[in-house]
Amino acid sequence: MPFTGDEIEHIKLARSIIEFGIPLHKGEYPSEPVYWYGHPPFFDYSLALGLMLGIPESHIRIVPMVYTLITAILIFLICLKIEKSGRLGVLTVFIYLINPLGIQSSLFIELDSSVVAFSIALFVYLFMKFHNSMQTRHLIILGLVFSLCLWSKLTTPFVIPISMMIYYWIKKKMWWGFLNTFQITLIGTVSFLFTWIIYSYITGVPFIGPFK
């Protein structure tokens, strides 16, 4: 299947990362580089790593497929936290893999249904694992994973704290839930900003880029 316009742009960004170390729009490197502002570049670095590991450009869709498979495993593990027999997990993973979003991530180089879904599923799994006995180290781990979600995409991950508050509201643990949600969100946001500042300083990519 031929690459679409967005896929070609992702491939060009991956190429520029390999050549220059930073994602440059359309792979150009003029005297004033055109930096890519669409989203933080975690996904494009994943594609660049795939190319560096020897995956041909014609097969680079393998990278989002890998993210989809890992996400499916995480979904199964999340379901095991709810229902131990595994039947719910098998059914849920089956539905996930045959739904249009799952199929799309297997056919196209696409951000939301690959790395964003993976990072959010990882957060949900760890939250399900820790939520009954939340300690300081658990808050830090969840905060760092939330930072990874922000490195995947700046907007979508903020559904996580909203979902956490809804969960704690249902469980009638609003105060404790608000405190945990605030700490995790704060740790994740500060971690993202700190690492983005370092990345901007090292690469020369304007700090304001993904916030435009």
Side-chain angles (χ1 to χ4, degrees):
M1 181 185 296
F3 288 121
T4 64
D6 287 344
E7 290 181 299
I8 292 171
E9 288 301 316
H10 279 299
I11 293 172
K12 288 181 177 180
L13 291 171
R15 279 193 212 136
S16 73
I17 288 170
I18 295 172
E19 186 173 356
F20 304 114
I22 53 178
L24 298 174
H25 189 48
K26 298 182 180 178
E28 298 170 354
Y29 196 65
S31 57
E32 295 183 1
V34 182
Y35 297 105
W36 174 246
Y37 291 134
H39 51 76
F42 179 68
F43 180 59
D44 298 306
Y45 277 92
S46 299
L47 295 176
L49 178 61
L51 294 174
M52 292 171 66
L53 291 175
I55 299 175
E57 281 189 11
S58 58
H59 293 77
I60 198 61
R61 286 171 174 149
I62 289 173
V63 173
M65 288 175 65
V66 169
Y67 276 119
T68 299
L69 290 175
I70 297 174
T71 302
I73 293 171
L74 289 169
I75 290 172
F76 180 79
L77 294 175
I78 291 167
C79 290
L80 283 181
K81 296 290 183 183
I82 301 170
E83 193 268 330
K84 299 297 184 183
S85 72
R87 290 191 294 269
L88 175 63
V90 171
L91 176 61
T92 305
V93 168
F94 174 73
I95 294 173
Y96 171 71
L97 291 177
I98 67 169
N99 83 82
L101 190 65
I103 295 172
Q104 174 180 295
S105 65
S106 300
L107 296 177
F108 298 100
I109 300 171
E110 213 277 329
L111 176 72
D112 293 285
S113 56
S114 56
V115 68
V116 176
F118 155 73
S119 58
I120 292 177
L122 178 61
F123 183 95
V124 173
Y125 168 69
L126 291 174
F127 179 79
M128 294 288 290
K129 184 176 181 179
F130 299 148
H131 76 282
N132 284 327
S133 58
M134 197 76 75
Q135 300 177 21
T136 301
R137 68 177 185 274
H138 300 147
L139 294 172
I140 293 172
I141 291 171
L142 288 169
L144 293 177
V145 176
F146 184 69
S147 177
L148 175 64
C149 294
L150 293 175
W151 267 98
S152 303
K153 191 171 185 178
L154 278 181
T155 52
T156 308
F158 282 100
V159 73
I160 291 174
I162 296 172
S163 301
M164 290 174 62
M165 288 303 301
I166 293 172
Y167 169 81
Y168 283 119
W169 175 70
I170 292 173
K171 291 290 186 179
K172 303 186 185 305
K173 297 179 179 179
M174 282 295 293
W175 172 245
W176 191 58
F178 173 80
L179 187 61
N180 285 344
T181 302
F182 175 77
Q183 291 178 94
I184 291 168
T185 306
L186 180 64
I187 292 170
T189 304
V190 170
S191 297
F192 169 76
L193 291 174
F194 178 71
T195 52
W196 181 253
I197 289 171
I198 294 175
Y199 174 79
S200 299
Y201 177 78
I202 292 173
T203 63
V205 172
F207 172 81
I208 197 66
F211 304 101
K212 288 187 174 182

